[in-house]
Amino acid sequence: MASLLLRALRRPLRPFSSAPVSPLPFDCRTPSSSLLSSPFRLFSSAAAPAAAPPSPAGTAPDPSRIRNVAVIAHVDHGKTTLMDRLLRQCGADIPHERALDSISLERERGITIASKVTSISWKDNELNMVDTPGHADFGGEVERVVGMVEGAVLVVDAGEGPLAQTKFVVAKALKLGLRPILLLNKVDRPSVSEETCNEVESLVFDLFANLGATEEQLDFPVLYASAKEGWASLTFTKNPVADARNMSPLLDAIIKHVPSPAANLEAPFQMLVSMMERDFYLGRILTGRISSGIIHIGDKIHGLRCTDNGAEKFEEGKVTKLMKKKGTNIIMIDSAGAGDIISVAGLTSPSIGHTVANVEVTTALPTVQLDPPTISMTFGVNDSPLGGRDGTHLTGGKIGDRLLSESETNLAINVLPGQLSDSYEVQGRGELQLGILIENMRREGFELSVSPPRVIRAEVTDMGPVPGTTGRTRMSLTCPSRGLVGYRSVFSSDTRGTGFMHRAFLSYSKHRGALGNVRKGVLVSVGNGIITAHALTSLEARGTLFVSPGMETYEGMIVGEHSRDSDLDVNPVRTKELTNIRAPGKDENVRLSPPRLMSLEEAIGYVASDELIEGSPKEVAPSNQTSSPEFQQYT
């Protein structure tokens, strides 16, 4: 598999190429499990099982029997595994581990990218559970869904304690008046003791107090669990008795401590859109919590949005489908009432943050307030020498439509017109978030060129030992976002893979000066054609190669990293001269070291300010013959 090739914009821009990736097949007739795994998180009526009957017409759940709960935590503290156990406890059929991670990239990378909503039944109560991402780059997914719930389960690793993203999600929950339930997870680990749990509980209490929690919020219930083994307990234990190895204590705590939604079934129907998906047959699927009233199939509704002059009506239609996620299935319903979380089809224009209501309602609900983006990248047409060979969506118009579509479903991404035609400035929370967007577009058949992120040394604000561990230190630092781009791989190397690095947005501040070099010089191709083993044999001593024999290169492409700080022009297509007494069969066997393989996020952090990344369904390469003087000046 070919590695990432970096092409530096070396007056012109130099490219950079990666391992081939086959585009994913896609068919609008695909079953719902595949549709939900697409980058658009498609939502299909085909997902409803044939045997699932609709609820009786004209009925809606009793709001006092509803509990809306978000599961929030730092990354890798066990949220999605916990959701699996809760679903199984309530009788849902779980086809595989991390069942709610339905997007292909979530399953491949083992992280949650998008928030998911599902419903489970427990002791005659309806629990609407929201699984949220833990990575800071996807914090926008948390911000826009916590407004749908009245309670939260805060999952904290009993060995690690509260970390950076824990502070972020807790701040959002406390600001909305939620009273979290603290669940200390992974207590079955040998290093976790009751004293460790007490210390972590104290750290969580201090965190709540520092974030301005009320007396009621500070009096949070505490449970202990091993989501991996599938049990929770009201008291500390590492090995519950056989009949107590289940999630009943946590489910009972949710019923006891999370209030039912304040609901007025007699008022007109109103719902704030918190999630949006697309279906080839039904169009836009709008998901949110019903603020008031009851909705039925066939009701006339319209969309409202907040403007400087008040609420503005922008579309009118009728409800064609009402849907609800139950376990891992989607069922059709005939009606729903205030306090419930449902999905509605029938309108084509409303998006996240808009209000859907009965036609007599003229007031829009308050919109979601999100933290600002921290980095931006410029997306444009790929017109390098290797452009147009792999992709099916090549034009600036199609790229722009795709980016605008993404900004509608993900409010944490802003898309603005670029300074050049057919270019767009995409603003986001971090290189992982934008890297996921680029990867999704590649798999959909897009070809595009992407600039490196634009946004010193960090200032240490706190340093001390990690509670309950030996030989580990926790450091808190403040640093510009641009100073962290590409640093994650360097950090992993420096700590030999044992370190954990997390970040959260703090504030905007003044520019602190130019960044230092985060890499050495590069090996730049001066030839065009197929790379040969003979040429690479002599180049290995010059540095680390990103290419292997048989790959295609062109002038200006980065084929490796120089062992020194300066750039070096090389010819990777050079062949061995043959004479009348030498033949190819007489050549010695060539043994090359494996090329350096980079992920897309590493490539984003590797390129310099005068370079681009060329993305296609099969390759990732900062490449350019999009290197017009205007673009060079812009980047």
Side-chain angles (χ1 to χ4, degrees):
M1 184 175 68
S3 73
L4 274 175
L5 298 168
L6 276 176
R7 173 205 0 120
L9 227 191
R10 192 189 181 217
R11 302 327 59 104
L13 294 172
R14 297 193 289 258
F16 163 106
S17 198
S18 86
V21 177
S22 299
L24 297 180
F26 191 79
D27 189 338
C28 65
R29 296 166 294 181
T30 316
S32 64
S33 60
S34 298
L35 286 171
L36 287 170
S37 68
S38 74
F40 284 102
R41 306 195 293 275
L42 302 180
F43 193 126
S44 175
S45 59
S55 61
T59 64
D62 181 0
S64 65
R65 295 286 185 178
I66 296 176
R67 300 293 188 274
N68 299 318
V69 186
V71 181
I72 58 177
H74 189 83
V75 64
D76 288 334
H77 279 200
K79 299 180 305 302
T80 305
T81 303
L82 175 66
M83 287 296 301
D84 282 353
R85 303 301 178 261
L86 293 177
L87 289 171
R88 281 184 176 151
Q89 179 80 32
C90 297
D93 181 21
I94 305 298
H96 52 78
E97 294 296 317
R98 302 179 63 90
L100 291 185
D101 282 351
S102 53
I103 303 175
S104 58
L105 282 174
E106 291 180 321
R107 295 193 295 267
E108 292 171 15
R109 303 195 181 200
I111 60 174
T112 300
I113 296 173
S115 296
K116 318 290 191 317
V117 179
T118 190
S119 176
I120 56 178
S121 298
W122 180 251
K123 296 182 178 178
D124 297 327
N125 293 282
E126 191 84 0
L127 276 60
N128 294 316
M129 308 293 295
V130 183
D131 183 25
T132 62
H135 198 285
D137 280 20
F138 309 109
E141 294 285 323
V142 180
E143 295 167 326
R144 65 186 175 87
V145 298
V146 290
M148 292 196 298
V149 300
E150 286 77 36
V153 176
L154 173 62
V155 182
V156 176
D157 189 313
E160 293 185 355
L163 299 177
Q165 187 69 1
T166 310
K167 179 179 179 180
F168 171 83
V169 295
V170 168
K172 297 298 179 183
L174 296 180
K175 184 178 179 181
L176 292 173
L178 305 183
R179 182 192 178 203
I181 297 172
L182 175 61
L183 182 73
L184 297 180
N185 193 24
K186 306 182 182 181
V187 297
D188 56 309
R189 289 183 171 179
S191 60
V192 176
S193 63
E194 187 171 5
E195 292 73 19
T196 303
C197 290
N198 291 336
E199 187 170 356
V200 171
E201 183 181 341
S202 298
L203 292 174
V204 174
F205 182 91
D206 293 342
L207 174 62
F208 278 40
N210 292 335
L211 293 174
T214 64
E215 292 293 332
E216 183 181 9
Q217 290 171 329
L218 288 173
D219 186 23
F220 50 83
V222 182
L223 287 89
Y224 308 85
S226 170
K228 182 179 179 180
E229 296 184 358
W231 57 263
S233 173
L234 295 175
T235 58
F236 176 82
T237 179
K238 298 178 78 69
N239 188 23
V241 295
D243 59 353
R245 298 181 70 85
N246 55 56
M247 285 292 174
S248 298
L250 176 58
L251 292 166
D252 291 337
I254 291 174
I255 301 298
K256 179 180 179 181
H257 297 288
V258 176
S260 57
N264 183 359
L265 296 176
E266 304 301 324
F269 166 74
Q270 271 188 306
M271 182 185 83
L272 180 68
V273 180
S274 297
M275 304 174 69
M276 189 190 81
E277 299 160 310
R278 289 182 176 82
D279 179 81
F280 286 106
Y281 301 104
L282 301 178
R284 295 197 178 198
I285 307 296
L286 308 174
T287 301
R289 185 190 64 179
I290 303 176
S291 298
S292 61
I294 298 177
I295 185 173
H296 305 82
I297 291 181
D299 286 353
K300 290 185 177 180
I301 55 176
H302 64 185
L304 298 168
R305 59 188 167 206
C306 295
T307 66
D308 294 338
N309 298 323
E312 176 189 8
K313 172 184 173 181
F314 59 96
E315 185 188 2
E316 185 172 327
K318 69 175 184 178
V319 179
T320 58
K321 292 287 184 182
L322 286 176
M323 291 159 283
K324 188 172 179 67
K325 188 77 174 288
K326 293 284 290 184
T328 57
N329 298 317
I330 300 170
I331 64 170
M332 300 294 119
I333 58 177
D334 286 345
S335 63
D340 205 359
I341 298 177
I342 62 161
S343 300
V344 181
L347 299 178
T348 60
S349 299
S351 185
I352 297 173
H354 294 157
T355 299
V356 176
N358 283 345
V359 290
E360 63 266 24
V361 176
T362 58
T363 304
L365 296 170
T367 58
V368 181
Q369 299 296 323
L370 301 183
D371 288 343
T374 57
I375 66 172
S376 68
M377 302 173 69
T378 299
F379 287 49
V381 175
N382 175 27
D383 57 359
S384 76
L386 301 182
R389 300 187 180 186
D390 305 325
T392 55
H393 306 303
L394 312 175
T395 65
K398 288 190 175 182
I399 293 173
D401 291 342
R402 174 64 178 86
L403 293 175
L404 291 174
S405 173
E406 181 71 21
S407 66
E408 288 183 339
T409 60
N410 187 352
L411 294 187
I413 286 181
N414 297 334
V415 179
L416 304 173
Q419 297 185 9
L420 301 177
S421 61
D422 293 335
S423 68
Y424 305 87
E425 181 183 353
V426 182
Q427 302 173 341
R429 298 286 181 88
E431 69 270 23
L432 177 58
Q433 181 191 32
L434 296 182
I436 292 292
L437 172 59
I438 297 170
E439 183 64 26
N440 281 333
M441 294 179 67
R442 290 178 56 215
R443 297 186 179 200
E444 295 167 32
F446 282 86
E447 281 199 26
L448 65 158
S449 62
V450 184
S451 74
R454 292 181 296 274
V455 258
I456 331 264
R457 298 191 174 208
E459 297 177 1
V460 179
T461 58
D462 185 36
M463 183 171 65
V466 178
T469 63
T470 303
R472 296 187 66 85
T473 301
R474 177 180 298 166
M475 301 176 65
S476 299
L477 311 93
T478 59
C479 176
S481 296
R482 62 194 178 99
L484 293 177
V485 173
Y487 178 66
R488 187 175 297 275
S489 60
V490 178
F491 175 79
S492 298
S493 298
D494 291 343
T495 60
R496 294 178 174 83
T498 63
F500 297 93
M501 186 181 81
H502 310 286
R503 66 182 185 184
F505 175 78
L506 178 63
S507 64
Y508 286 127
S509 62
K510 294 182 178 180
H511 181 68
R512 300 191 183 184
L515 292 171
N517 292 329
V518 295
R519 72 174 193 196
K520 297 182 179 180
V522 289
L523 303 177
V524 186
S525 172
V526 295
N528 297 280
I530 303 300
I531 296 173
T532 65
H534 171 70
L536 296 185
T537 302
S538 59
L539 295 180
E540 270 199 316
R542 299 288 188 175
T544 304
L545 297 177
F546 299 153
V547 296
S548 57
M551 294 181 61
E552 190 172 355
T553 186
Y554 56 90
E555 184 178 359
M557 176 178 285
I558 294 180
V559 295
E561 184 175 273
H562 195 196
S563 57
R564 301 183 179 181
D565 292 335
S566 59
D567 296 347
L568 180 66
D569 293 337
V570 298
N571 182 9
V573 301
R574 181 168 57 87
T575 59
K576 178 178 288 188
E577 296 295 336
L578 302 180
T579 68
N580 60 348
I581 61 172
R582 295 179 63 192
K586 298 294 184 179
D587 291 343
E588 68 280 2
N589 290 329
V590 176
R591 294 185 179 182
L592 296 171
S593 300
R596 176 183 174 185
L597 300 177
M598 291 186 184
S599 66
L600 178 59
E601 286 73 40
E602 288 178 308
I604 292 174
Y606 191 87
V607 293
S609 59
D610 60 346
E611 299 167 3
L612 291 179
I613 300 173
E614 173 189 351
S616 71
K618 294 184 178 180
E619 291 186 351
V620 173
S623 99
N624 173 61
Q625 294 326 341
T626 47
S627 55
S628 62
E630 295 84 0
F631 198 90
Q632 292 181 24
Q633 181 179 6
Y634 178 53
T635 57

